[in-house]
Amino acid sequence: MESSPEAVLTRLRPLLRAVHEALSAGVAVSHAIHRQHGWQPTADPHLDRQLVRRHAMEQLRPWSASIGEQLTVDVGDQGGENLGLPMSGLIVSTDVDVLRVWHSADGELPPGDTRALQAFYDQSPVQQTQLVLEGAPPAGNHLALLWADRAGVLSRLELVRPWWRGGRHPEADWRVDLLRQPA
């Protein structure tokens, strides 16, 4: 499995387009709801992000069912009873890749404060620069899609392959600005 930015973009292009469209639609919905009620998104940023997430999640469900490859959109849904509140992220998995979608105004990855995030970040960099002495990280390709919005429009959409070397904050093995990528 190739984990270079070019290979990942080639492999995930249809999925990344669908997530981009779903997030853009969610941002527009949240912006319209806030405008309609005269609310300021900064007064309750969790509601704003939750509205984006919920709309994106609903838009991705039928898309994931319509494609041929194995795709799972994990939103904490358990029989329609728990929609993952208050989680503001999405997890989209293929046979090879796990894509976590997170809001990030500053482009930073969430700190590795939990074992689950540490395990997600624990992967070898694409360009191996040093020997791995303690055993190889788990197989698979873990990616983060970081988004932010301004005035009802996506202002950040970056695909990041995280790499955790210990400590609290992961590093970016590589990063691609999807808003600047050709369609």
Side-chain angles (χ1 to χ4, degrees):
M1 177 229 14
E2 177 68 40
S3 296
S4 70
E6 298 79 18
V8 170
L9 288 172
T10 299
R11 184 170 61 241
L12 294 181
R13 192 165 309 279
L15 172 61
L16 293 171
R17 277 193 199 120
V19 173
H20 181 176
E21 290 170 8
L23 287 172
S24 293
V27 165
V29 165
S30 179
H31 183 72
I33 289 171
H34 280 81
R35 191 178 61 241
Q36 175 186 0
H37 294 285
W39 298 340
Q40 293 299 317
T42 55
D44 187 0
H46 298 291
L47 174 62
D48 178 44
R49 294 171 198 156
Q50 180 60 28
L51 289 168
V52 173
R53 174 197 165 273
R54 178 59 193 265
H55 190 80
M57 172 189 72
E58 294 300 333
Q59 191 165 328
L60 287 170
R61 278 186 206 273
W63 185 86
S64 68
S66 70
I67 62 173
E69 68 180 288
Q70 176 62 34
L71 178 69
T72 306
V73 179
D74 178 6
V75 293
D77 189 5
Q78 296 153 352
E81 296 173 14
N82 176 5
L83 294 174
L85 300 172
M87 183 182 90
S88 63
L90 291 168
I91 301 173
V92 182
S93 302
T94 68
D95 291 337
V96 174
D97 303 290
V98 177
L99 177 69
R100 289 190 176 211
V101 183
W102 286 307
H103 180 273
S104 178
D106 59 5
E108 294 298 317
L109 293 158
D113 289 340
T114 66
R115 287 186 193 264
L117 275 179
Q118 291 169 5
F120 180 75
Y121 294 149
D122 187 19
Q123 58 187 351
S124 295
V126 171
Q127 295 295 324
Q128 187 70 315
T129 57
Q130 41 185 285
L131 295 174
V132 178
L133 300 175
E134 309 249 342
N141 193 42
H142 298 165
L143 304 160
L145 187 61
L146 306 177
W147 68 272
D149 65 302
R150 190 175 305 123
V153 177
L154 279 179
S155 59
R156 172 185 313 284
L157 191 65
E158 291 180 314
L159 185 63
V160 180
R161 187 171 190 276
W163 177 40
W164 187 67
R165 294 191 294 176
R168 186 163 188 240
H169 295 280
E171 297 180 27
D173 182 25
W174 51 256
R175 181 182 298 260
V176 177
D177 183 347
L178 296 177
L179 294 179
R180 298 190 193 279
Q181 286 287 309

